[in-house]
Amino acid sequence: MSKRIVVTGGTGYIGSHTVVELQAAGYEVIIVDNLSNSTAAVVDGIEKISGVRPVFLELDCNDKEGLRRLFQSYPDVRGIIHFAASKAVGESVHKPLEYYRNNIVTLLNLLELMPEFGVQGIVFSSSCTVYGQPDILPVTEEAPIKPALSPYGNTKQINEEIIRDAIHAGLPFKSIILRYFNPIGAHPTAEIGELPNGIPQNLVPFITQTAIGLREELSVFGNDYDTPDGSCIRDYINVVDLAKAHVLAIVRMLETAAGSPLEVFNLGTGRGVTVLELINAFEKATGVNVPYRIVGRREGDIEKVWADPRHANDVLGWTAKESVEDTLLTAWNWQKRLRDR
Ligand code: UD1
């Protein structure tokens, strides 16, 4: 059986780490990426780690004919992991149509082509954002989906519904939807990591850029939430741990008859950490001070969310292994590598 997997968004943050883990598990990877939020040099980083250069095609998944040519050139593709998407929450509010096109048309193109080329399964990158502020914590996969707070969040919900309807209609493929909590850190080799575009919107890249002196101080968005220290709680998950879950999902979906045609898994640690605790953990792990100031709440922020990962633990056989401190150290080593480049 072919071991060929297409990874869309494979030069991106989570995508690149997943390509490395897929290669380690013996899969042959074709990366499809339009480089809108990454660079082709990421392919070099992947090769340095794994010793194998993945096939790389600079292609936008909105280009259906381009995708068709890809599947014609590689008729033995077994599965897809679909990371390619726009992901800046704030930007999505100002450019909704761009977000709907990038995040929805791309999935439709892939789903329409899969039966044509006998592609047997698709793993989809979703987000805990679909739960909004959950009523019960930790949050399980059965928790209700709450109205999205941004076009970005809405695209994730719509994508999940499109996949659900396609499977319900009996289209001849399987799917696993992975709901990520907050991915952080970098590969332990510091050959690949997160490459934020402009001013980072996410917490950890902002912390590492502040620690290295690129930013003056970190703004902590609110200390009046109903949490032990008043700052928001998230479930920060190591990106390599997260990447490994994708390999298990591919194996389960393509190599076993287990499960149903559509499965959904939370990928988190099960531990909630406040923003202030995360800053302290970073300082403890690295010995580097992070100047910060408490400012007002950020619009649209969820107060607290962390995963119940038992379904992934029990069914997928996956557990988050790395500690927050060790993970923050990998993020710091990556930031230093970027400086020294
Ligand atoms: C956000 C999205 C999530 C998306 C993810 C991907 C929401 C509710 N969630 O996650 O759907 O998948 O981005 O990019 O929009 N913080 C600060 N100062 C900063 C930056 C962040 O205090 O400079 C705080 C935030 O208030 C939050 C925590 O750090 O409490 C994490 O923020 P962030 O890294 O942006 O992730 P989310 O907002 O959880």
Side-chain angles (χ1 to χ4, degrees):
M1 273 296 209
S2 149
K3 287 263 193 184
R4 210 183 287 282
I5 305 291
V6 165
V7 179
T8 76
T11 55
Y13 175 42
I14 308 172
S16 56
H17 291 81
T18 299
V19 171
V20 166
E21 297 305 321
L22 283 169
Q23 291 178 320
Y27 286 94
E28 293 169 61
V29 177
I30 301 172
I31 294 176
V32 175
D33 203 304
N34 66 0
L35 302 182
S36 60
N37 197 20
S38 59
T39 70
V42 174
V43 182
D44 302 331
I46 292 170
E47 185 180 7
K48 272 196 193 132
I49 298 168
S50 66
V52 181
R53 193 168 184 85
V55 176
F56 168 59
L57 283 176
E58 186 177 343
L59 179 67
D60 191 317
C61 293
N62 277 308
D63 176 0
K64 192 172 180 185
E65 287 317 304
L67 285 174
R68 179 174 274 119
R69 283 194 295 276
L70 155 70
F71 289 116
Q72 281 164 347
S73 307
Y74 297 93
D76 60 347
V77 171
R78 293 272 311 283
I80 298 171
I81 306 184
H82 184 39
F83 292 103
S86 302
K87 63 165 187 179
V89 177
E91 184 185 55
S92 78
V93 176
H94 303 291
K95 299 180 180 171
L97 302 185
E98 196 177 305
Y99 271 67
Y100 286 111
R101 174 169 295 282
N102 276 346
N103 292 6
I104 294 186
V105 176
T106 51
L107 176 70
L108 290 175
N109 285 344
L110 292 168
L111 296 182
E112 285 173 350
L113 289 167
M114 285 173 71
E116 212 177 299
F117 292 95
V119 182
Q120 293 163 24
I122 183 163
V123 173
F124 178 70
S125 297
S126 191
S127 165
C128 69
T129 194
V130 301
Y131 301 121
Q133 176 59 64
D135 300 320
I136 301 168
L137 288 166
V139 61
T140 70
E141 291 83 354
E142 278 70 47
I145 302 301
K146 295 272 178 75
L149 293 172
S150 69
Y152 160 79
N154 205 23
T155 65
K156 292 295 172 193
Q157 297 194 3
I158 294 170
N159 278 317
E160 289 201 6
E161 286 168 8
I162 290 171
I163 292 172
R164 195 165 287 119
D165 289 346
I167 300 280
H168 182 76
L171 288 177
F173 51 75
K174 294 162 86 177
S175 184
I176 291 185
I177 291 172
L178 300 176
R179 292 181 181 150
Y180 311 149
F181 283 66
N182 287 56
I184 62 165
H187 197 269
T189 61
E191 295 291 352
I192 54 174
E194 193 168 3
L195 283 169
N197 206 348
I199 301 172
Q201 306 298 310
N202 295 114
L203 179 59
V204 168
F206 208 105
I207 289 179
T208 58
Q209 288 197 5
T210 307
I212 212 154
L214 285 173
R215 315 265 159 220
E216 228 165 82
E217 67 179 6
L218 166 74
S219 298
V220 172
F221 297 136
N223 69 345
D224 56 353
Y225 286 100
D226 181 21
T227 62
D229 62 25
S231 62
C232 292
I233 297 180
R234 295 287 184 276
D235 184 333
Y236 295 95
I237 167 81
N238 178 286
V239 69
V240 175
D241 275 341
L242 189 68
K244 288 177 176 162
H246 292 75
V247 178
L248 293 169
I250 280 286
V251 169
R252 178 173 173 84
M253 194 176 67
L254 300 180
E255 324 276 0
T256 76
S260 51
L262 175 62
E263 295 184 296
V264 182
F265 295 98
N266 280 345
L267 297 180
T269 66
R271 287 181 299 277
V273 174
T274 70
V275 174
L276 295 174
E277 284 168 350
L278 197 82
I279 296 169
N280 283 333
F282 179 87
E283 291 181 335
K284 196 171 137 217
T286 63
V288 181
N289 181 48
V290 181
Y292 72 85
R293 185 162 37 137
I294 311 283
V295 301
R297 293 181 174 195
R298 180 171 70 176
E299 199 189 330
D301 258 341
I302 301 298
E303 180 171 78
K304 47 190 163 189
V305 62
W306 63 95
D308 183 333
R310 278 179 301 175
H311 187 50
N313 300 160
D314 298 345
V315 175
L316 212 48
W318 172 85
T319 314
K321 296 222 160 61
E322 300 297 332
S323 69
V324 159
E325 282 82 9
D326 288 348
T327 302
L328 289 168
L329 198 52
T330 64
W332 178 233
N333 288 336
W334 168 243
Q335 184 68 62
K336 287 193 289 184
R337 174 68 68 93
L338 286 177
R339 176 190 59 193
D340 300 338
R341 264 186 185 175

